Amino acid sequence: MYDNCADVVVEKNITLFERDKCSELTDKLANEVRVALVYNGISHTVMLASPQDLEEFAIGFTLSERIVSNINEIKGIDVEHVENGIIIHIEITQRCFVDLKEHRRSMAGRTGCGLCGVAQLDDAVKPIKTVDSDAVFNMEFLSSVLATAKMKQSNFELTGATHAALGLNSKGEVIYIYEDIGRHIALDKLIGAFSRRNAEKPVAVLLTSRASFEMVQKAASAGIQILFAMSAVTALAAELAEKSNITLVGFCRNGRANVYSHSFRLQNRLAPVTTI
């Protein structure tokens, strides 16, 4: 199963039934690989992820899960390909490692709900973190951003099975794009990319998925002020966005969008943008 664990897209011979015809062809599938995160030699969690941009994932996950408070507390990352998957060895400061050992929990396989394996209810909700208020985004750029997003999702174009997180600058240009089978992992990869030293921080982030509670929580941890989602927003996500001072926008498609919180960062909002 994991013979091609380094490949992002794999091919498989299939039988296609279409109307009254049957044919043999080759389909392209998004690869789904076990990725273990190991901190200072101790296994922390196993995720199912696309096997690309794994260093960015390690950085983003470590920051967004608040295992460390800043990137300088990550001392080293090593990616090891093994027989049944991939191991990412992450070295963090001793202080952070002591804190991690006190709060360790099993979080295996979070592709779906994002909270599977959490042992205690309190583990699911981190302390509220508020973001700054200086970001501004012109909503006139949204239509072109959505068109660009569609063109730039190369893995989705091949497989139809991946999510993407895109970082946008103040001109509405896509400066980062990361794809993964897991929507929260795509966001972690994006966070890892712009958290590096001297990297440009996006003014806004666009998700091709829904915006759930965990996605907003990760955005707050990374200081993301504006979060767009092409799909729906959950009630808990909207509540957290309000408390975290995040501008949360859902159903971004076909020239419209629903603004759920803190619309003050959005300029020249075009009808029929709706404030919920």
Side-chain angles (χ1 to χ4, degrees):
M1 180 177 179
Y2 288 93
D3 291 343
N4 300 311
C5 68
D7 298 330
V8 178
V9 176
V10 297
E11 294 185 347
K12 181 173 177 58
N13 296 327
I14 67 167
T15 301
L16 173 65
F17 289 90
E18 189 174 19
R19 298 186 178 91
D20 297 328
K21 297 180 179 180
C22 177
S23 56
E24 304 296 322
L25 53 83
T26 300
D27 195 14
K28 296 183 184 298
L29 306 178
N31 205 0
E32 192 170 22
V33 176
R34 294 181 184 127
V35 178
L37 297 175
V38 176
Y39 289 92
N40 293 22
I42 303 298
S43 181
H44 178 64
T45 187
V46 178
M47 316 288 279
L48 292 171
S50 301
Q52 64 181 12
D53 306 312
L54 294 176
E55 187 168 327
E56 286 82 359
F57 169 48
I59 294 171
F61 178 88
T62 305
L63 288 167
S64 70
E65 293 294 324
R66 305 185 195 176
I67 294 170
V68 301
S69 58
N70 65 76
I71 195 169
N72 293 327
E73 293 173 322
I74 300 174
K75 297 304 181 181
I77 296 174
D78 182 60
V79 178
E80 178 187 7
H81 290 260
V82 295
E83 183 178 356
N84 60 344
I86 297 171
I87 301 174
I88 307 179
H89 300 275
I90 307 161
E91 191 73 19
I92 57 178
T93 64
Q94 186 61 26
R95 181 187 63 80
C96 293
F97 183 57
V98 169
D99 290 342
L100 177 62
K101 287 195 295 183
E102 293 176 355
H103 296 92
R104 281 182 61 197
R105 64 182 185 268
S106 172
M107 298 180 294
R110 303 199 313 167
T111 299
C113 67
L115 295 175
C116 302
V118 172
Q120 303 292 332
L121 289 176
D122 288 344
D123 292 336
V125 181
K126 296 177 176 63
I128 301 297
K129 184 175 181 179
T130 58
V131 302
D132 295 333
S133 300
D134 57 342
V136 175
F137 189 84
N138 191 325
M139 291 295 283
E140 292 180 358
F141 297 141
L142 187 57
S143 294
S144 62
V145 167
L146 293 172
T148 301
K150 184 176 181 180
M151 292 187 296
K152 286 184 174 291
Q153 294 177 71
S154 57
N155 293 341
F156 181 82
E157 181 69 22
L158 290 172
T159 68
T162 56
H163 298 288
L166 299 90
L168 315 174
N169 65 15
S170 60
K171 299 177 182 179
E173 299 167 335
V174 176
I175 56 176
Y176 301 101
I177 178 168
Y178 286 89
E179 292 183 88
D180 200 275
I181 56 163
R183 56 195 173 85
H184 60 284
I185 297 178
L187 179 57
D188 278 336
K189 289 178 176 180
L190 173 61
I191 292 170
F194 72 70
S195 297
R196 293 175 182 271
R197 185 174 299 173
N198 299 324
E200 181 180 0
K201 185 173 182 178
V203 169
V205 168
L206 170 67
L207 307 174
T208 61
S209 62
R210 70 184 185 275
S212 61
F213 170 84
E214 186 194 21
M215 303 295 272
V216 175
Q217 186 167 255
K218 286 179 177 291
S221 296
I224 296 169
Q225 298 183 38
I226 304 173
L227 188 63
F228 294 106
M230 291 175 64
S231 191
V233 168
T234 68
L236 197 57
E239 179 183 339
L240 180 60
E242 188 69 43
K243 293 178 179 178
S244 298
N245 193 37
I246 290 175
T247 299
L248 181 60
V249 187
F251 291 112
C252 299
R253 58 180 75 164
N254 301 323
R256 62 159 292 160
N258 292 350
V259 183
Y260 292 89
S261 61
H262 302 295
S263 61
F264 66 87
R265 294 186 181 90
L266 306 177
Q267 293 186 349
N268 297 324
R269 296 193 298 276
L270 300 178
V273 173
T274 306
T275 301
I276 302 299

